[in-house]
Amino acid sequence: MPRDAPLRAGVPAAAARDDRRRGLATAEPARSAVLNLLGSFRLRVGAAEVRLPVGAQRLLAVLALRGRQSRSRVAGTLWPDSPEARALGSLRTSLWRINLAAPALVVDTGGAIDLAPEVTVDARELMERTKALLQGAPSSTSTSTGALPPGLDDAGELLPDWDDEWLADERERLCQLHLHVRESFAERLASEGKFGLALDMALGALRLDTLRESAHRSVIRIHLQEGNLSEARRAYATCRRVLAQELGVAPAPETTRMLGLPADRPPRADSARPAWGRP
């Protein structure tokens, strides 16, 4: 018998009836489940949308993003301010709620729990597509349209309405992948002579993170490849100003060498206008 099975028997029948009235139960198997974490939480099993309590949603999210974990680790992540016994009790309740709504969605493997491998998770798929693009997979590298592959540029933020501390690392992971994809795609576009599209892609990375020096270098490099030295110098001046104003540092030698300039002290904050958004 699966380890999670006793959890279902331990919940009062009244609670089960209440869950059925609220539409929490479904007989569809896990292989037809789709879990969306980008934009907002949404679980569909077959053709039906499944509603879950917040605790159960959080449990599915952490398993979807972090994979197989021990029960104590999951309980500590989701209920860090509760005593261990209470946190484990909350975990058992959430497991029961999930098992009632979507049987076999969470599996027990050697004392640890995990999302069933058949479940489709949009955040996981986004990460896989992003990694494929960075690795140069043939199906992911087309630059004919000058746009990122579908799903990479229009994906919503990871559970934006949640304030769980553990999500910060997962959001940063997705953000960094997105930034690296933009820089990589900008480089490929520039190598094909599509400088306008390449510049738009690189500036998009800067809009996401204005302090990212590698993105500033992408902008400078594209201007140089196109033969626009004055634009490259203005982009460099913008980089110097932003780093000085926000971090109190000068550009790295790798950046200054692009224009054959010696490393120097940070400029005054008002010494350059941004290279983007100029009339």
Side-chain angles (χ1 to χ4, degrees):
M1 178 180 294
R3 182 173 175 178
D4 288 337
L7 302 179
R8 301 177 64 183
V11 178
R17 288 194 299 271
D18 181 63
D19 284 334
R20 285 192 290 272
R21 284 196 299 269
R22 291 165 55 203
L24 293 176
T26 176
E28 294 286 342
R31 65 176 176 271
S32 61
V34 177
L35 178 60
N36 295 119
L37 303 178
L38 299 174
S40 61
F41 183 97
R42 185 184 181 194
L43 174 64
R44 286 179 293 114
V45 180
E49 184 164 350
V50 180
R51 292 175 294 154
L52 290 171
V54 174
Q57 292 181 17
R58 293 165 73 228
L59 174 55
L60 288 181
V62 76
L63 292 177
L65 294 170
R66 295 190 172 182
R68 179 177 179 271
Q69 298 184 70
S70 68
R71 292 178 179 235
S72 59
R73 186 183 182 103
V74 174
T77 298
L78 296 180
W79 296 277
D81 298 325
S82 298
E84 183 177 5
R86 180 173 296 179
L88 288 170
S90 298
L91 175 61
R92 286 192 295 271
T93 299
S94 293
L95 283 168
W96 180 83
R97 296 285 189 188
I98 294 168
N99 283 332
L100 177 68
L105 197 66
V106 176
V107 296
D108 189 308
T109 57
I113 54 176
D114 196 359
L115 204 61
E118 301 87 359
V119 180
T120 300
V121 182
D122 61 350
R124 284 182 177 176
E125 291 190 331
L126 178 62
M127 290 182 187
E128 291 305 315
R129 288 197 300 272
T130 302
K131 291 175 182 177
L133 181 58
L134 290 173
Q135 293 167 359
S139 61
S140 305
T141 57
S142 174
T143 56
S144 58
T145 64
L148 292 175
L152 293 181
D153 201 28
D154 56 0
E157 186 181 348
L158 181 63
L159 299 170
D161 297 330
W162 293 18
D163 58 3
D164 298 51
E165 291 185 5
W166 66 269
L167 271 174
D169 290 342
E170 306 304 327
R171 288 174 178 143
E172 179 65 14
R173 180 183 176 193
L174 274 175
C175 180
Q176 288 299 320
L177 284 171
H178 190 178
L179 289 168
H180 278 89
V181 163
R182 278 192 164 275
E183 291 174 2
S184 175
F185 216 60
E187 183 178 341
R188 296 178 195 183
L189 287 165
S191 70
E192 297 173 5
K194 301 173 181 177
F195 299 114
L197 295 173
L199 191 59
D200 181 70
M201 192 65 60
L203 291 174
L206 274 180
R207 283 191 292 271
L208 291 172
D209 186 354
T210 59
L211 299 180
R212 187 176 178 85
E213 193 168 349
S214 60
H216 283 282
R217 283 196 294 271
S218 291
V219 174
I220 296 169
R221 185 179 300 110
I222 293 166
H223 284 312
L224 290 174
Q225 287 177 286
E226 195 174 9
N228 292 326
L229 181 59
S230 62
E231 292 288 341
R233 286 183 175 273
R234 276 196 288 267
Y236 174 76
T238 294
C239 176
R240 292 178 69 229
R241 180 189 61 80
V242 170
L243 294 180
Q245 181 178 348
E246 300 295 333
L247 301 177
V249 300
E254 180 182 355
T255 306
T256 59
R257 283 196 299 267
M258 296 179 71
L259 290 167
L261 300 173
D264 64 352
R265 292 172 298 177
R268 290 187 340 217
D270 60 352
S271 64
R273 290 192 301 161
W276 58 87
R278 295 195 309 274

mmCIF file of all heavy atoms in Angstrom, residues 26-36 42-50 52 60 98 101-106 115-122 124-125:
data_model
loop_
_atom_site.group_PDB
_atom_site.id
_atom_site.type_symbol
_atom_site.label_atom_id
_atom_site.label_comp_id
_atom_site.label_asym_id
_atom_site.label_seq_id
_atom_site.Cartn_x
_atom_site.Cartn_y
_atom_site.Cartn_z
ATOM 1 N N THR A 26 -11.560 14.850 -8.227
ATOM 2 C CA THR A 26 -11.631 14.419 -9.618
ATOM 3 C C THR A 26 -11.109 13.002 -9.695
ATOM 4 O O THR A 26 -10.240 12.614 -8.933
ATOM 5 C CB THR A 26 -10.793 15.332 -10.535
ATOM 6 O OG1 THR A 26 -10.832 14.785 -11.851
ATOM 7 C CG2 THR A 26 -9.348 15.403 -10.100
ATOM 8 N N ALA A 27 -11.627 12.242 -10.646
ATOM 9 C CA ALA A 27 -11.203 10.846 -10.781
ATOM 10 C C ALA A 27 -10.141 10.680 -11.858
ATOM 11 O O ALA A 27 -9.695 9.589 -12.127
ATOM 12 C CB ALA A 27 -12.412 9.972 -11.108
ATOM 13 N N GLU A 28 -9.739 11.795 -12.533
ATOM 14 C CA GLU A 28 -8.771 11.700 -13.612
ATOM 15 C C GLU A 28 -7.390 11.327 -13.071
ATOM 16 O O GLU A 28 -6.985 11.775 -12.004
ATOM 17 C CB GLU A 28 -8.674 13.040 -14.358
ATOM 18 C CG GLU A 28 -9.935 13.418 -15.108
ATOM 19 C CD GLU A 28 -10.110 12.597 -16.356
ATOM 20 O OE1 GLU A 28 -9.128 11.995 -16.809
ATOM 21 O OE2 GLU A 28 -11.233 12.556 -16.883
ATOM 22 N N PRO A 29 -6.624 10.529 -13.810
ATOM 23 C CA PRO A 29 -5.291 10.134 -13.364
ATOM 24 C C PRO A 29 -4.275 11.242 -13.553
ATOM 25 O O PRO A 29 -4.498 12.206 -14.280
ATOM 26 C CB PRO A 29 -4.978 8.938 -14.266
ATOM 27 C CG PRO A 29 -5.760 9.208 -15.514
ATOM 28 C CD PRO A 29 -7.021 9.872 -15.054
ATOM 29 N N ALA A 30 -3.102 11.082 -12.901
ATOM 30 C CA ALA A 30 -2.074 12.115 -12.942
ATOM 31 C C ALA A 30 -1.520 12.328 -14.337
ATOM 32 O O ALA A 30 -1.043 13.408 -14.658
ATOM 33 C CB ALA A 30 -0.941 11.745 -11.978
ATOM 34 N N ARG A 31 -1.565 11.294 -15.194
ATOM 35 C CA ARG A 31 -0.949 11.434 -16.510
ATOM 36 C C ARG A 31 -1.631 12.504 -17.355
ATOM 37 O O ARG A 31 -1.076 12.946 -18.366
ATOM 38 C CB ARG A 31 -0.972 10.101 -17.248
ATOM 39 C CG ARG A 31 -2.348 9.560 -17.603
ATOM 40 C CD ARG A 31 -2.243 8.283 -18.411
ATOM 41 N NE ARG A 31 -3.543 7.693 -18.686
ATOM 42 C CZ ARG A 31 -4.162 6.829 -17.899
ATOM 43 N NH1 ARG A 31 -3.583 6.449 -16.770
ATOM 44 N NH2 ARG A 31 -5.355 6.338 -18.225
ATOM 45 N N SER A 32 -2.838 12.928 -16.980
ATOM 46 C CA SER A 32 -3.533 13.958 -17.744
ATOM 47 C C SER A 32 -3.455 15.319 -17.060
ATOM 48 O O SER A 32 -4.152 16.249 -17.441
ATOM 49 C CB SER A 32 -5.006 13.573 -17.926
ATOM 50 O OG SER A 32 -5.651 13.467 -16.660
ATOM 51 N N ALA A 33 -2.582 15.454 -16.053
ATOM 52 C CA ALA A 33 -2.516 16.685 -15.264
ATOM 53 C C ALA A 33 -1.549 17.695 -15.873
ATOM 54 O O ALA A 33 -0.471 17.344 -16.350
ATOM 55 C CB ALA A 33 -2.100 16.367 -13.832
ATOM 56 N N VAL A 34 -1.957 18.965 -15.838
ATOM 57 C CA VAL A 34 -1.121 20.078 -16.292
ATOM 58 C C VAL A 34 -1.093 21.111 -15.170
ATOM 59 O O VAL A 34 -2.145 21.587 -14.726
ATOM 60 C CB VAL A 34 -1.669 20.711 -17.582
ATOM 61 C CG1 VAL A 34 -0.815 21.912 -17.990
ATOM 62 C CG2 VAL A 34 -1.730 19.688 -18.702
ATOM 63 N N LEU A 35 0.109 21.459 -14.732
ATOM 64 C CA LEU A 35 0.281 22.409 -13.640
ATOM 65 C C LEU A 35 0.931 23.674 -14.181
ATOM 66 O O LEU A 35 2.037 23.633 -14.722
ATOM 67 C CB LEU A 35 1.150 21.792 -12.536
ATOM 68 C CG LEU A 35 1.476 22.680 -11.335
ATOM 69 C CD1 LEU A 35 0.204 23.117 -10.615
ATOM 70 C CD2 LEU A 35 2.400 21.948 -10.367
ATOM 71 N N ASN A 36 0.233 24.803 -14.032
ATOM 72 C CA ASN A 36 0.758 26.096 -14.458
ATOM 73 C C ASN A 36 1.207 26.903 -13.243
ATOM 74 O O ASN A 36 0.438 27.095 -12.296
ATOM 75 C CB ASN A 36 -0.302 26.884 -15.223
ATOM 76 C CG ASN A 36 -0.690 26.212 -16.530
ATOM 77 O OD1 ASN A 36 -1.845 25.847 -16.725
ATOM 78 N ND2 ASN A 36 0.256 26.033 -17.420
ATOM 79 N N ARG A 42 -2.428 27.255 -11.449
ATOM 80 C CA ARG A 42 -3.588 26.628 -12.074
ATOM 81 C C ARG A 42 -3.287 25.156 -12.284
ATOM 82 O O ARG A 42 -2.234 24.807 -12.812
ATOM 83 C CB ARG A 42 -3.905 27.294 -13.414
ATOM 84 C CG ARG A 42 -5.185 26.768 -14.066
ATOM 85 C CD ARG A 42 -5.389 27.385 -15.433
ATOM 86 N NE ARG A 42 -6.611 26.926 -16.069
ATOM 87 C CZ ARG A 42 -6.898 27.100 -17.355
ATOM 88 N NH1 ARG A 42 -6.045 27.729 -18.142
ATOM 89 N NH2 ARG A 42 -8.034 26.650 -17.855
ATOM 90 N N LEU A 43 -4.213 24.311 -11.868
ATOM 91 C CA LEU A 43 -4.074 22.863 -12.043
ATOM 92 C C LEU A 43 -5.261 22.355 -12.839
ATOM 93 O O LEU A 43 -6.413 22.596 -12.486
ATOM 94 C CB LEU A 43 -4.021 22.155 -10.687
ATOM 95 C CG LEU A 43 -4.020 20.621 -10.731
ATOM 96 C CD1 LEU A 43 -2.759 20.084 -11.425
ATOM 97 C CD2 LEU A 43 -4.120 20.047 -9.316
ATOM 98 N N ARG A 44 -4.941 21.673 -13.936
ATOM 99 C CA ARG A 44 -5.981 21.037 -14.745
ATOM 100 C C ARG A 44 -5.696 19.542 -14.821
ATOM 101 O O ARG A 44 -4.563 19.127 -15.041
ATOM 102 C CB ARG A 44 -6.017 21.627 -16.149
ATOM 103 C CG ARG A 44 -6.630 23.017 -16.223
ATOM 104 C CD ARG A 44 -6.636 23.590 -17.629
ATOM 105 N NE ARG A 44 -5.284 23.867 -18.105
ATOM 106 C CZ ARG A 44 -4.709 23.236 -19.103
ATOM 107 N NH1 ARG A 44 -5.355 22.262 -19.747
ATOM 108 N NH2 ARG A 44 -3.488 23.542 -19.495
ATOM 109 N N VAL A 45 -6.721 18.763 -14.635
ATOM 110 C CA VAL A 45 -6.621 17.313 -14.761
ATOM 111 C C VAL A 45 -7.656 16.889 -15.783
ATOM 112 O O VAL A 45 -8.851 17.018 -15.556
ATOM 113 C CB VAL A 45 -6.856 16.595 -13.423
ATOM 114 C CG1 VAL A 45 -6.747 15.086 -13.615
ATOM 115 C CG2 VAL A 45 -5.860 17.070 -12.382
ATOM 116 N N GLY A 46 -7.173 16.430 -16.934
ATOM 117 C CA GLY A 46 -8.085 16.181 -18.033
ATOM 118 C C GLY A 46 -8.661 17.507 -18.508
ATOM 119 O O GLY A 46 -7.944 18.476 -18.712
ATOM 120 N N ALA A 47 -9.960 17.568 -18.647
ATOM 121 C CA ALA A 47 -10.621 18.794 -19.097
ATOM 122 C C ALA A 47 -11.075 19.663 -17.936
ATOM 123 O O ALA A 47 -11.586 20.762 -18.146
ATOM 124 C CB ALA A 47 -11.818 18.441 -19.979
ATOM 125 N N ALA A 48 -10.874 19.192 -16.715
ATOM 126 C CA ALA A 48 -11.392 19.906 -15.543
ATOM 127 C C ALA A 48 -10.307 20.716 -14.841
ATOM 128 O O ALA A 48 -9.171 20.266 -14.711
ATOM 129 C CB ALA A 48 -12.016 18.911 -14.571
ATOM 130 N N GLU A 49 -10.670 21.913 -14.411
ATOM 131 C CA GLU A 49 -9.770 22.709 -13.579
ATOM 132 C C GLU A 49 -10.000 22.317 -12.122
ATOM 133 O O GLU A 49 -11.147 22.256 -11.653
ATOM 134 C CB GLU A 49 -10.019 24.197 -13.773
ATOM 135 C CG GLU A 49 -9.052 25.067 -13.007
ATOM 136 C CD GLU A 49 -9.043 26.509 -13.479
ATOM 137 O OE1 GLU A 49 -9.645 26.793 -14.532
ATOM 138 O OE2 GLU A 49 -8.441 27.343 -12.782
ATOM 139 N N VAL A 50 -8.914 22.045 -11.415
ATOM 140 C CA VAL A 50 -8.998 21.551 -10.044
ATOM 141 C C VAL A 50 -8.620 22.664 -9.081
ATOM 142 O O VAL A 50 -7.550 23.273 -9.205
ATOM 143 C CB VAL A 50 -8.059 20.339 -9.830
ATOM 144 C CG1 VAL A 50 -8.171 19.835 -8.393
ATOM 145 C CG2 VAL A 50 -8.395 19.243 -10.817
ATOM 146 N N LEU A 52 -7.617 23.883 -5.304
ATOM 147 C CA LEU A 52 -6.974 23.334 -4.116
ATOM 148 C C LEU A 52 -6.784 24.424 -3.067
ATOM 149 O O LEU A 52 -6.627 25.601 -3.417
ATOM 150 C CB LEU A 52 -5.597 22.760 -4.476
ATOM 151 C CG LEU A 52 -5.547 21.482 -5.314
ATOM 152 C CD1 LEU A 52 -4.116 21.210 -5.745
ATOM 153 C CD2 LEU A 52 -6.098 20.301 -4.518
ATOM 154 N N LEU A 60 2.459 21.477 -4.110
ATOM 155 C CA LEU A 60 2.668 21.100 -5.506
ATOM 156 C C LEU A 60 3.727 21.985 -6.161
ATOM 157 O O LEU A 60 4.568 21.511 -6.930
ATOM 158 C CB LEU A 60 1.356 21.207 -6.284
ATOM 159 C CG LEU A 60 0.294 20.146 -5.999
ATOM 160 C CD1 LEU A 60 -0.926 20.376 -6.876
ATOM 161 C CD2 LEU A 60 0.843 18.740 -6.221
ATOM 162 N N ILE A 98 -4.535 16.839 -1.811
ATOM 163 C CA ILE A 98 -4.099 16.614 -3.194
ATOM 164 C C ILE A 98 -4.544 15.243 -3.675
ATOM 165 O O ILE A 98 -5.051 15.090 -4.790
ATOM 166 C CB ILE A 98 -2.576 16.771 -3.308
ATOM 167 C CG1 ILE A 98 -2.178 18.228 -3.040
ATOM 168 C CG2 ILE A 98 -2.086 16.326 -4.680
ATOM 169 C CD1 ILE A 98 -0.689 18.432 -2.844
ATOM 170 N N ALA A 101 -8.172 15.292 -4.534
ATOM 171 C CA ALA A 101 -8.517 16.040 -5.737
ATOM 172 C C ALA A 101 -7.970 15.389 -6.993
ATOM 173 O O ALA A 101 -8.628 15.395 -8.045
ATOM 174 C CB ALA A 101 -7.988 17.475 -5.626
ATOM 175 N N ALA A 102 -6.756 14.851 -6.903
ATOM 176 C CA ALA A 102 -6.107 14.272 -8.090
ATOM 177 C C ALA A 102 -5.272 13.080 -7.648
ATOM 178 O O ALA A 102 -4.096 13.226 -7.324
ATOM 179 C CB ALA A 102 -5.248 15.306 -8.791
ATOM 180 N N PRO A 103 -5.839 11.891 -7.609
ATOM 181 C CA PRO A 103 -5.112 10.703 -7.148
ATOM 182 C C PRO A 103 -3.817 10.492 -7.919
ATOM 183 O O PRO A 103 -3.761 10.683 -9.131
ATOM 184 C CB PRO A 103 -6.108 9.567 -7.410
ATOM 185 C CG PRO A 103 -7.447 10.233 -7.405
ATOM 186 C CD PRO A 103 -7.227 11.592 -7.985
ATOM 187 N N ALA A 104 -2.781 10.126 -7.170
ATOM 188 C CA ALA A 104 -1.466 9.790 -7.731
ATOM 189 C C ALA A 104 -0.719 10.988 -8.304
ATOM 190 O O ALA A 104 0.267 10.831 -9.001
ATOM 191 C CB ALA A 104 -1.580 8.714 -8.796
ATOM 192 N N LEU A 105 -1.165 12.215 -7.990
ATOM 193 C CA LEU A 105 -0.448 13.407 -8.454
ATOM 194 C C LEU A 105 0.891 13.537 -7.734
ATOM 195 O O LEU A 105 1.886 13.975 -8.315
ATOM 196 C CB LEU A 105 -1.301 14.652 -8.207
ATOM 197 C CG LEU A 105 -0.904 15.906 -8.971
ATOM 198 C CD1 LEU A 105 -1.107 15.720 -10.466
ATOM 199 C CD2 LEU A 105 -1.715 17.108 -8.484
ATOM 200 N N VAL A 106 0.918 13.154 -6.447
ATOM 201 C CA VAL A 106 2.155 13.139 -5.662
ATOM 202 C C VAL A 106 2.474 11.692 -5.328
ATOM 203 O O VAL A 106 1.592 10.933 -4.919
ATOM 204 C CB VAL A 106 2.014 13.966 -4.369
ATOM 205 C CG1 VAL A 106 3.274 13.855 -3.512
ATOM 206 C CG2 VAL A 106 1.738 15.429 -4.710
ATOM 207 N N LEU A 115 6.517 15.003 -7.328
ATOM 208 C CA LEU A 115 5.413 15.105 -8.266
ATOM 209 C C LEU A 115 5.500 13.928 -9.232
ATOM 210 O O LEU A 115 6.601 13.534 -9.642
ATOM 211 C CB LEU A 115 5.523 16.428 -9.027
ATOM 212 C CG LEU A 115 4.254 17.031 -9.632
ATOM 213 C CD1 LEU A 115 3.239 17.346 -8.549
ATOM 214 C CD2 LEU A 115 4.612 18.290 -10.415
ATOM 215 N N ALA A 116 4.376 13.372 -9.566
ATOM 216 C CA ALA A 116 4.372 12.249 -10.501
ATOM 217 C C ALA A 116 5.034 12.672 -11.808
ATOM 218 O O ALA A 116 4.809 13.789 -12.293
ATOM 219 C CB ALA A 116 2.934 11.796 -10.760
ATOM 220 N N PRO A 117 5.868 11.816 -12.388
ATOM 221 C CA PRO A 117 6.620 12.209 -13.597
ATOM 222 C C PRO A 117 5.733 12.504 -14.799
ATOM 223 O O PRO A 117 6.167 13.174 -15.729
ATOM 224 C CB PRO A 117 7.514 10.990 -13.852
ATOM 225 C CG PRO A 117 6.868 9.855 -13.140
ATOM 226 C CD PRO A 117 6.200 10.450 -11.943
ATOM 227 N N GLU A 118 4.500 12.028 -14.791
ATOM 228 C CA GLU A 118 3.608 12.279 -15.929
ATOM 229 C C GLU A 118 3.042 13.692 -15.943
ATOM 230 O O GLU A 118 2.489 14.132 -16.959
ATOM 231 C CB GLU A 118 2.434 11.286 -15.910
ATOM 232 C CG GLU A 118 2.839 9.827 -15.980
ATOM 233 C CD GLU A 118 3.134 9.240 -14.604
ATOM 234 O OE1 GLU A 118 3.028 9.995 -13.606
ATOM 235 O OE2 GLU A 118 3.459 8.045 -14.542
ATOM 236 N N VAL A 119 3.145 14.410 -14.833
ATOM 237 C CA VAL A 119 2.556 15.748 -14.744
ATOM 238 C C VAL A 119 3.347 16.736 -15.600
ATOM 239 O O VAL A 119 4.573 16.804 -15.532
ATOM 240 C CB VAL A 119 2.524 16.231 -13.282
ATOM 241 C CG1 VAL A 119 1.899 17.634 -13.203
ATOM 242 C CG2 VAL A 119 1.746 15.252 -12.416
ATOM 243 N N THR A 120 2.630 17.516 -16.399
ATOM 244 C CA THR A 120 3.251 18.565 -17.208
ATOM 245 C C THR A 120 3.270 19.864 -16.413
ATOM 246 O O THR A 120 2.239 20.298 -15.899
ATOM 247 C CB THR A 120 2.466 18.779 -18.513
ATOM 248 O OG1 THR A 120 2.459 17.556 -19.261
ATOM 249 C CG2 THR A 120 3.083 19.891 -19.347
ATOM 250 N N VAL A 121 4.458 20.487 -16.313
ATOM 251 C CA VAL A 121 4.616 21.727 -15.550
ATOM 252 C C VAL A 121 5.177 22.804 -16.477
ATOM 253 O O VAL A 121 6.241 22.624 -17.076
ATOM 254 C CB VAL A 121 5.566 21.532 -14.347
ATOM 255 C CG1 VAL A 121 5.679 22.821 -13.539
ATOM 256 C CG2 VAL A 121 5.083 20.377 -13.467
ATOM 257 N N ASP A 122 4.476 23.928 -16.614
ATOM 258 C CA ASP A 122 4.906 24.953 -17.566
ATOM 259 C C ASP A 122 6.270 25.539 -17.220
ATOM 260 O O ASP A 122 7.097 25.807 -18.112
ATOM 261 C CB ASP A 122 3.862 26.061 -17.687
ATOM 262 C CG ASP A 122 3.588 26.795 -16.389
ATOM 263 O OD1 ASP A 122 4.051 26.349 -15.315
ATOM 264 O OD2 ASP A 122 2.881 27.840 -16.440
ATOM 265 N N ARG A 124 8.792 24.074 -15.735
ATOM 266 C CA ARG A 124 9.814 23.096 -16.112
ATOM 267 C C ARG A 124 10.058 23.127 -17.620
ATOM 268 O O ARG A 124 11.199 23.100 -18.091
ATOM 269 C CB ARG A 124 9.379 21.690 -15.700
ATOM 270 C CG ARG A 124 9.501 21.362 -14.223
ATOM 271 C CD ARG A 124 9.073 19.923 -14.004
ATOM 272 N NE ARG A 124 9.218 19.509 -12.626
ATOM 273 C CZ ARG A 124 8.841 18.317 -12.166
ATOM 274 N NH1 ARG A 124 8.304 17.438 -13.002
ATOM 275 N NH2 ARG A 124 8.990 17.996 -10.894
ATOM 276 N N GLU A 125 8.974 23.180 -18.389
ATOM 277 C CA GLU A 125 9.109 23.198 -19.835
ATOM 278 C C GLU A 125 9.836 24.452 -20.300
ATOM 279 O O GLU A 125 10.644 24.413 -21.231
ATOM 280 C CB GLU A 125 7.729 23.112 -20.494
ATOM 281 C CG GLU A 125 7.057 21.760 -20.312
ATOM 282 C CD GLU A 125 5.812 21.631 -21.164
ATOM 283 O OE1 GLU A 125 5.171 22.680 -21.447
ATOM 284 O OE2 GLU A 125 5.461 20.503 -21.540
#
